[in-house]
Amino acid sequence: MSAFSPVPWCLKAPVEAPSMETADDWLANWRQLPLNELSPFALAVMGGFQADRAAWAFSAGYEAALRAMFPQISGGGLHGFSLSEEGVRSPRDLQTLWQADDAGGIRLSGNKGWVPLPSHCEAYFVVCRASGPQGALSVVCVPATADGVSMSPRNPAAFMPELPAARMQLQDVVLDASAMLPGDGWADYARPFGALEELYVSAALMGYLLREGRARDWPQAMLRQMLAAITLLERVATEAGSDQSLVLLAGATEWVRSLMNQATAQWAEQPGDEAGQRWTRDQSVQRMWAAFGAKRGDRAWQALTAKS
């Protein structure tokens, strides 16, 4: 991995960003990054910095989180993590089920309520449950082109509408047994990915706002805090998964949300700025992980204080 220092890079990188109206536009820019040479954290910051709007900063952070979770990802292919199912609130109740088939492989059926970039991802890491009562959770890597995989496009969301998403249907998808990842689907994958997504998307959004702020001469004190927040998130990334890192992540992302609010206030002074209008429309991104992140931080705080 190439060395990357976010402070000098973010201070010296050009502040002009090309227009990225579509996912194809963003993907062409993403693939210009040295994807196999940089750490996932560097990709999140650089990808966010080079984005022209929140949707693509989110996408850069999301893909970086996947690379942190699944280091086998390489090259320019995009991936997705598929957990949610409509009407299902508990992982114990997931209705995407797998079972062994007679040829020694696995057969997968079910529906997922949200998957990103359905025309661009080459594979999805699907959280599923073994058939039968109290079936254990697992994660299966499903190629987007596998027989039995289909997508139903979702209507654009009220925020980040440029980011395409779909519902995924899995109908008797037959896969080699090697498609199933080792370990527990919840403890080893779904739970830690939630924290990684929050971390890397936060870093990407800070990179994005830092570029916008440099281009618009926002107060230097605010930009310094954005750099400091990125640096703290980089420290958290090196310790990902520990109780200490989860406490720091909760604090860091609370700081990030405060800086996002400050960016909103800066753009309010420039009502004709198209980037600011998009940011105002997309403000809900500030609340995406707030409740879950706070709960993770509370649990980690309790675990740390109980050990002392």
Side-chain angles (χ1 to χ4, degrees), residues 1-6 8-9 34 36-39 41-43 46 234:
M1 293 290 182
S2 297
F4 172 75
S5 182
W9 191 91
N36 291 335
E37 300 172 20
L38 294 174
S39 69
F41 190 83
L43 289 174
M46 293 176 70
E234 185 180 34

Side-chain angles (χ1 to χ4, degrees), residues 62-63 66 70 78-82 115-116 121-126:
Y62 180 82
E63 290 298 322
L66 282 164
F70 304 103
L78 302 182
H79 294 72
F81 191 82
S82 304
V115 295
C121 284
E122 65 180 36
Y124 291 92
F125 295 96
V126 177

Side-chain angles (χ1 to χ4, degrees), residues 98-107:
W98 74 271
Q99 59 184 357
D101 67 13
D102 295 336
I106 60 175
R107 190 179 297 271

Side-chain angles (χ1 to χ4, degrees), residues 213-228:
R214 279 185 54 208
R216 289 161 175 77
D217 292 323
W218 287 352
Q220 190 183 111
M222 183 173 71
L223 302 184
R224 287 199 301 265
Q225 288 191 64
M226 290 180 182
L227 282 171

Side-chain angles (χ1 to χ4, degrees), residues 5-25:
S5 182
V7 174
W9 191 91
C10 289
L11 287 177
K12 295 178 181 179
V15 296
E16 297 79 15
S19 176
M20 303 178 196
E21 298 292 336
T22 68
D24 287 334
D25 295 336

Side-chain angles (χ1 to χ4, degrees), residues 72 103-106 125 139-143 174-182 189:
Q72 64 267 38
I106 60 175
F125 295 96
V139 169
V140 176
C141 185
V142 180
V174 177
L175 300 167
D176 188 84
S178 62
M180 179 168 289
L181 277 59
Y189 298 102

Side-chain angles (χ1 to χ4, degrees), residues 105-124:
I106 60 175
R107 190 179 297 271
L108 190 66
S109 291
N111 300 288
K112 291 297 181 180
W114 187 87
V115 295
L117 300 159
S119 298
H120 300 80
C121 284
E122 65 180 36
Y124 291 92

